[in-house]
Amino acid sequence: LLFVFSKRVYPQLKISYSFFKREKVKLLFGYSVKSLIAQIADIIKYKIDYFVIAIFLNLSLVTFYSVGIRLTEYFYQFVRNSVGLTKPIYSQYEGQNNYELIRERFMDMTKISTIISVFIGLSIIFYGKAFIHRWMGDRFDSSYYVAVILCIPWTLELMQSPTSGLLYGISKHHYFSIVNMIEAVLNLILSIILAKYY
């Protein structure tokens, strides 16, 4: 269906074995592998905490954690999707060797990302408790503290989110993949250590 609709928009589109270029496979595979590593790191960073809580603490606490993290996940997705649309723009400017325009767009997106991140992050801190009470009830006070604890570092991370878009756009995302995997491993280690004390 994607091909059919794409063909309607762009009738010149053709798929043929004659277009296959063996030398391009390595290039595409290399790009994809680095992206896969970054995505695996994201899964470890953002999903492993549920298992740590269930294994080292109590399964019932996963519910309270889940409510708190759900609020911050919406925040995360909104900001990442808002500023993540620039990858093709960076690629286009790189293809034109226009690095000055890349810098300008990157700075513009960083400013926008910072404003949105700080606004939503502070909104969660100031209004999150009332929101969770109306959403889930008074029993979920601890979920608010989870949201605040996670909201502070995520605000700092999301202020810098245009960086990953830039690295993907100019095919330098192996740096992001390495840093992301280090962060994922540290997150797992810290989660296990802190679960015993907090």
Side-chain angles (χ1 to χ4, degrees):
L1 284 174
L2 283 173
F3 177 75
V4 169
F5 291 127
S6 300
K7 185 102 170 130
R8 275 191 192 169
V9 174
Y10 189 72
Q12 302 92 326
L13 182 65
K14 290 181 186 175
I15 295 180
S16 171
Y17 186 76
S18 63
F19 297 135
F20 178 76
K21 304 279 187 284
R22 188 178 295 274
E23 63 275 7
K24 299 286 184 190
V25 172
K26 186 177 179 185
L27 181 70
L28 289 172
F29 188 74
Y31 188 93
S32 300
V33 166
K34 294 166 195 166
S35 299
L36 177 66
I37 291 168
Q39 288 174 351
I40 290 170
D42 277 344
I43 292 169
I44 295 170
K45 274 170 40 180
Y46 302 123
K47 302 298 180 191
I48 202 76
D49 295 336
Y50 295 104
F51 296 103
V52 172
I53 291 168
I55 293 168
F56 291 97
L57 297 173
N58 186 329
L59 189 59
S60 64
L61 295 176
V62 172
T63 306
F64 295 98
Y65 178 79
S66 180
V67 170
I69 198 170
R70 182 74 56 220
L71 197 58
T72 52
E73 280 178 346
Y74 294 145
F75 164 38
Y76 180 84
Q77 289 169 359
F78 178 79
V79 175
R80 288 301 288 256
N81 291 336
S82 299
V83 298
L85 304 171
T86 54
K87 294 174 197 172
I89 295 170
Y90 295 134
S91 294
Q92 180 182 2
Y93 293 152
E94 186 195 27
Q96 298 167 352
N97 287 325
N98 195 340
Y99 293 100
E100 190 55 42
L101 210 48
I102 290 175
R103 277 189 208 92
E104 285 177 26
R105 291 301 156 263
F106 174 70
M107 292 306 293
D108 291 343
M109 292 312 296
T110 301
K111 288 174 190 171
I112 292 168
S113 181
T114 300
I115 292 166
I116 294 171
S117 299
V118 170
F119 176 75
I120 297 175
L122 289 175
S123 296
I124 289 172
I125 291 169
F126 290 123
Y127 306 114
K129 192 170 202 172
F131 180 83
I132 290 173
H133 277 200
R134 284 169 182 74
W135 177 29
M136 297 299 294
D138 296 343
R139 292 188 318 111
F140 286 85
D141 271 351
S142 57
S143 297
Y144 167 71
Y145 299 110
V146 170
V148 170
I149 290 167
L150 293 173
C151 184
I152 294 167
W154 279 19
T155 300
L156 295 172
E157 179 181 341
L158 289 169
M159 289 164 59
Q160 306 168 56
S161 61
T163 306
S164 62
L166 172 65
L167 292 172
Y168 272 99
I170 62 172
S171 298
K172 302 281 186 202
H173 57 292
H174 57 280
Y175 296 116
F176 175 70
S177 298
I178 293 166
V179 170
N180 211 27
M181 190 54 79
I182 291 169
E183 186 181 348
V185 171
L186 289 174
N187 176 56
L188 176 58
I189 293 167
L190 281 173
S191 295
I192 292 169
I193 293 169
L194 294 175
K196 295 179 179 180
Y197 299 103
Y198 299 101

